[in-house]
Amino acid sequence: MRSCCALLALALVAKASAQGCVCNTMKWATCKVTPGSCECTAMVAEKSKQVLNCNALIPKCFLMKAEVFRAQKGLSTRSGGKPTEHAFVDDDGIYDPDCEANGVFKAKQCAGTQTCWCVNSAGVRRTDKGDSGLKCNELVKTVWLQIQLKHIEVQLPLNETQVKTAITQTISQRYLLDEKHVTDVKYERESHTVVVDLKSDGSGDGDIATVGYYIEKDVKRMTVLRNAGNTLTASVNGTQVDFESFMIYYVDEKPPTFTTNRVMGGVIAAIVVIALAIVAVLLLRFAISRKKRRSQQYHKTQDREMEVMHNERP
């Protein structure tokens, strides 16, 4: 009898341990109880699992790999103005990245193709694309993220100071980020826009690029967090504020090296418009000139005919 009770107690303990063995920072993770620990992994490629540290945010590089793999398998997965001259946005979106063992992006990315490019520590392309011989000598660090969030209209006007406090606390608590990295929050009431500055202080204790990615997924209603709500919301003096759109600008410790190729399409379009305008002006001038010449010829002919008729009179 005692033996049966002991086995039942052990089974209940094992069940409770298994229920507590979850990855709260990545809902796609699979976790299992191992002797003395809880081990969580995520599929990032066919027959390839990535071990995760679920006590912190999962590095953006691992998240992107997992998302691409799930998309390939048909599984559910879930894009105000520049703060500075060298700020840029992510025009390429998600791809299958190459990651270091610790989840850091490799400086050179090719996504399994012969077309390659250099990225920053946020995994965002910062150079023109080239062939597989492209050289990316170092991984340039992203030191500043400016996140521009637009919230759904609320009934009562929001106080800017209260918005700043609420957003800072929400980002710090939801994304496990020290408040010191939230360096500024501005609120534009007329446009319903909250502008958040996240900055790295070089200490290495705040992965602002990964936080930016988590915020992006939350605003898109595609959160990767477990049991934390499906989207980013903030409570401002009792009013729940939901966000419907966003824009993220990246500022690196070195300016990006895009060439005119990135804007060549726009330049060509402008050239075509200008050329068509010039052609239209030339055609108009030609038509006016031709009409004028015809008018002059008509008057000259008419004058000659009048002179002949006058001379032929008896």
Side-chain angles (χ1 to χ4, degrees):
M1 180 69 178
R2 289 181 179 178
S3 177
C4 291
C5 290
L7 289 174
L8 179 60
L10 288 174
L12 291 174
V13 170
K15 182 178 180 181
S17 299
Q19 289 177 343
C21 183
V22 295
C23 186
N24 289 321
T25 53
M26 188 179 187
K27 66 181 181 181
W28 304 323
T30 300
C31 302
K32 64 179 180 180
V33 178
T34 59
S37 66
C38 170
E39 182 179 284
C40 298
T41 60
M43 296 297 297
V44 294
E46 197 69 49
K47 299 181 180 180
S48 178
K49 294 181 179 180
Q50 177 63 53
V51 178
L52 306 174
N53 173 18
C54 294
N55 294 320
L57 295 186
I58 308 304
K60 180 180 177 182
C61 197
F62 290 163
L63 290 174
M64 286 177 62
K65 287 194 72 68
E67 186 171 357
V68 169
F69 175 75
R70 293 179 66 83
Q72 291 173 343
K73 291 296 182 179
L75 302 173
S76 174
T77 57
R78 328 198 212 177
S79 94
K82 296 171 63 173
T84 183
E85 177 186 358
H86 299 302
F88 56 102
V89 298
D90 184 2
D91 288 333
D92 298 308
I94 190 171
Y95 60 93
D96 188 8
D98 289 327
C99 310
E100 302 287 0
N102 59 357
V104 173
F105 286 93
K106 292 186 177 181
K108 180 179 176 179
Q109 298 289 332
C110 303
T113 69
Q114 294 299 309
T115 301
C116 303
W117 58 93
C118 303
V119 301
N120 57 19
S121 60
V124 178
R125 181 167 65 91
R126 50 173 281 111
T127 67
D128 294 324
K129 293 183 178 181
D131 57 25
S132 57
L134 179 69
K135 301 296 183 183
C136 303
N137 297 323
E138 61 176 338
L139 182 67
V140 178
K141 188 174 181 180
T142 298
V143 295
W144 177 13
L145 258 64
Q146 184 169 100
I147 306 172
Q148 300 175 4
L149 299 161
K150 184 174 182 180
H151 70 75
I152 298 172
E153 187 173 356
V154 294
Q155 291 184 344
L156 299 176
L158 301 177
N159 177 272
E160 183 175 359
T161 301
Q162 293 174 343
V163 169
K164 180 175 182 178
T165 300
I167 292 296
T168 300
Q169 292 177 349
T170 298
I171 290 177
S172 175
Q173 295 170 7
R174 186 176 178 89
Y175 306 113
L176 310 178
L177 184 69
D178 194 310
E179 287 189 6
K180 68 181 182 180
H181 295 292
V182 186
T183 58
D184 195 17
V185 178
K186 293 185 178 67
Y187 179 53
E188 299 173 2
R189 185 179 299 170
E190 292 75 15
S191 62
H192 304 157
T193 302
V194 179
V195 181
V196 183
D197 287 331
L198 302 182
K199 291 187 179 180
S200 172
D201 61 359
S203 63
D205 64 347
D207 186 356
I208 61 173
T210 293
V211 171
Y213 192 69
Y214 270 81
I215 290 175
E216 174 185 340
K217 309 306 284 184
D218 280 350
V219 176
K220 290 180 176 179
R221 272 57 174 178
M222 300 172 180
T223 185
V224 295
L225 293 168
R226 185 189 300 271
N227 301 325
N230 191 43
T231 185
L232 172 64
T233 62
S235 178
V236 181
N237 194 28
T239 299
Q240 179 172 298
V241 179
D242 298 304
F243 298 96
E244 59 182 352
S245 63
F246 71 97
M247 174 71 76
I248 299 180
Y249 285 101
Y250 300 83
V251 182
D252 295 345
E253 57 187 355
K254 295 181 180 180
T257 57
F258 295 116
T259 66
T260 55
N261 291 336
R262 198 182 191 202
V263 295
M264 188 58 67
V267 173
I268 291 174
I271 291 174
V272 169
V273 170
I274 293 171
L276 290 174
I278 292 173
V279 170
V281 171
L282 291 176
L283 288 174
L284 180 61
R285 288 183 176 179
F286 175 76
I288 294 173
S289 176
R290 187 176 181 183
K291 183 177 180 181
K292 186 176 181 180
R293 287 198 303 270
R294 285 182 175 178
S295 177
Q296 291 174 344
Q297 290 174 355
Y298 170 77
H299 287 300
K300 288 180 179 179
T301 302
Q302 189 179 45
D303 292 340
R304 285 197 299 269
E305 290 177 349
M306 292 294 292
E307 182 179 354
V308 170
M309 292 174 61
H310 178 74
N311 293 332
E312 290 179 347
R313 286 178 181 178

